[in-house]
Amino acid sequence: MNGYRHIKYGLPVLLLASTPCAAELNDSGEHLTAMSRKPVAEKLIVEHIDPVETDPALSLAELVELTLEKYPDRLINEALTQEADALAERSDAWVAGSTALALDYFDDRIADNFGSREASAKLEVTTWKWGQRDAGQAVAQQASLSAQKQLAAVKLEVTRLVREALWNMEIANIGLQQAQNALSISEQLMNKVERRVELGDLPRADLLLAKGEYLQNRALVTQAEAEVMHSRKAYASLTTLSRVPGSYQEKQSDITAVTANHPMLEAVNAIIERKQAEIEWTKTTDPINQPKLSVGAKSQRDGRNGQDIESVGVGVVMLFGGEAYNAPEIAKVNVELNHAKAQREHLYRQLEKNLHEAEHSLEVTRAELAIANELKQIAETHLKMTEISFSAGEINLLDLLKIQARSLEATRNAKLQEVKLQRNIAFYNQAVGVQP
C-alpha cells in the first residue's frame, strides 16, 4: 500500500500498488500513481453521512491511548488502583487496627469528697501478629502489580477493537471505491450504447440491458455506502473520535509463539500471585480478634480518711488457636486461586489457537494475493480485447457485460486481498500481544 487520500465527506480511500483501471486516468489520459493522485469530489447517493476525517498527525498508538481514556473498563482499573492504595495504607500502619481509650470512675457518694472512689484510664492498641504485617504488605504489592497488569490487558483488548474497527472501515472503503468504479464504467457504456441505438447500430434491447446493468451497479453503490457509514459509526462509538490515523499499517512482529510476558497471561498470573498472598494473609488474621496491648493508670481511695493510691499497669491480650475459624476463609480464597489457575489454562490454549489462526490466515492471504494479481492482469487484458471486439461488432453486449463484470471483480479482489494482508499482519501482532 502506498498511501491514503481524502475525498469528499472525509472518506479515506486506500491506494494500492496495482495496475490502474480505466477509471484511474487523469485528464491527459495518463495513469495516476498513488503519490500523484489528487483528491476528487464524489457525491454519495444517500445523504446519510457519518463524517470521519484523516489526521496525518494521529498515530495508531495515540489513537489507542485516546480510546483507552474513555473506555468503560477504565472505571474498573481505577477501582483496582484505589484498592491497592488502600491495602498499602493498611499494611504500612504501625498498628493492626483501631486504638481505644477507656475511662472509668466509681464513687459511693456522688459529688462528695468523702467515702471510697476509684478512677482509671486505659489506652488499648491493636497489634500485629507475628508475620501478619509482612503478609499484608505482600498482598498490597501484588494488588498494585495486578492493577498494572490488568490495565495492560485492557489496553491490549482496546487495541484489538481499534485494529478491527480501522480495517473494517478500510475494507468497506475498498468496496465502495470498486462499486463506484463499476457504476462509472456502466454509465459510460450505457451512454455509448444509447448513442449507437440512436444511430441504428444496436437494437433497443441492448440499451435496456445496459440501463439494467447501470441500475444494478447503482444499487450496489448504495449498499456499499451504507457499509461505509456503519463501519464509521462503529469506529466513532468505540473511540468517541471522528479522526483516523493517516497510516496504520504495521510491521509483522518477530515473535513466533505465545510467551509468558503476553499481557493477557501476565494479568492472570498477577491475580494468581495476589491470591497466594491473600492465603498467607488469611492464615495470620483472626476475623474476630487481634492481639492487643493496653497501658493504663488508676487512682483509688478507700474509706473516709483513706489515702489516694496511684497505680499504673500494662496488659497484653494474646490469642491461641483459631485455625478452625480461619479455615473457611482460607478455603474460600483457595477456590478463587484455583479458579484463576484454571482461567490461565483456558487462556493459554485460546491464545495458542488465535496465534495459529493468525499465522494460517497470513499464509492463505499471501497465496491468494499472488493469484488475485495474476487474475487481475488476465482479466484486464481480456476486457481490452473484448471492448475492441464489441466496437467492431464481433460480440454482443451481454458477452461484454459478463467479461466486464469478471474484470471488475478481479480488480476488486486484488485490492481486497492487499488490504486483508495488512489487516492480518495487525491481527498477528494482536495474537502475540504486541502493542502499536
Side-chain angles (χ1 to χ4, degrees), residues 158-173:
V158 170
T159 301
R160 180 185 68 81
L161 296 174
V162 168
R163 281 167 167 155
E164 289 181 352
L166 286 172
W167 288 108
N168 285 344
M169 277 199 302
E170 197 60 61
I171 290 176
N173 291 337

Side-chain angles (χ1 to χ4, degrees), residues 30 39 73 80 112 132 143 147 161 167 191 195 202 206 226-227 263 289 312 319 326 339 341 347 356 387:
E30 300 174 346
D73 285 4
L80 290 174
D112 193 334
Q132 185 182 19
L161 296 174
W167 288 108
N191 294 334
R195 289 193 298 269
L202 293 174
D206 282 354
E227 291 299 322
N289 296 307
V312 296
L319 305 176
N326 286 359
H339 179 77
K341 288 182 177 179
L347 176 61
H356 172 76
E387 288 174 343

